[in-house]
Amino acid sequence: IDKVRAHDEL
Amino acid sequence: MNAFRFLGDMTHLFSVLVLLLKIYATKSCSGVSRKTQELYMVVFVARYMDLFTDYISLYNSVMKVVFITSSAAIVWCMRRHPQVRRTYDRDQDTFRHVVLVAASFVLALIFNERFTFREICWAFSIYLEAVAILPQLVLLQRSRNVDNLTGQYVLFLGAYRAFYILNWIYRYFTEGHTSRWIPWIAGLVQTALYADFFYYYFLSWKNNVKLELPA
C-alpha cells in the first residue's frame, strides 16, 4: 500500500 | 519547505504573539472571542497528535509545541487570570461554536484521506480551523471599538492561510501533481471568510479611521 503521506505541514 | 510556507508559518506565529502581547500588555481580552481561542486549541491538539509519533523536523516539532502551548495559555488567561477574565465580553461572545465542532467532526467522518483515528482527527482539525474564526468575526461586528492589536491579530491570522494556498500551488507544480483536496478546499473557505474583514481593514487603513465592521 502506498505510504500514508505524512502531514508535513503545520 | 518553501518560502510561501515559511512566510505562512511566521505570519501565523506573529498573529499569536500579537494576541499574547495584547493580553499581557493591556491585561485585557476585550474584543477577543474566547470561543475562537478554544476552537484553535482543539484544532492544534487534534492536528498535532503526531507530535510524539512522527518526527518530521525540529522546526515542525518546535512550532507544534509553540502553537499548542500558546493557544492553551491564551484560553487559560481568558478563563482563569484574575484581571484578564474580568474583561471578557461574555454576553457579546455568543456564537454557538459547539455546532462548528459537531459539523466539522461529521464532515471528517465522511471526507478523510483514510478512515483511521489519526486521519479523521487531522481532517476534523482542518475543517474546524476553516470556521474557527467565525465567533471572532461576529464579536468584531458587535463590539464597535476594535483595538489595533485585535485588528492586527485577525489580519495576520487570515493572511497565514493565504500564504499556505500559495505554498500548495507551488508544491503542486514542483512536487508532482498530488492533489490535496481537503486542505485546499478548507483553506479557500477559511481565507474567503476573512474577505470582508480584509476589505474593511484596508478601507480603515486607507482612510486612516478606526476599523469598524458593519453590523
Side-chain angles (χ1 to χ4, degrees), chain B residues 3-36:
Chain B
F4 298 117
R5 200 193 126 195
F6 183 68
L7 256 177
D9 289 341
M10 289 305 107
T11 309
H12 191 191
L13 178 66
F14 201 69
S15 74
V16 168
L17 295 179
V18 163
L19 183 56
L20 277 169
L21 170 74
K22 170 206 161 56
I23 291 178
Y24 181 74
T26 66
K27 289 288 182 288
S28 158
C29 64
S30 70
V32 177
S33 162
R34 188 175 75 191
K35 298 189 172 192
T36 284

Side-chain angles (χ1 to χ4, degrees), chain B residues 3 23 26 32-33 45 82 84 90 97 121 126 129 166 187 193 202 214:
Chain B
I23 291 178
T26 66
V32 177
S33 162
V45 169
V84 174
R90 180 184 304 276
H97 60 327
C121 283
I126 292 287
E129 184 188 6
L166 296 178
L193 287 178
F202 171 71

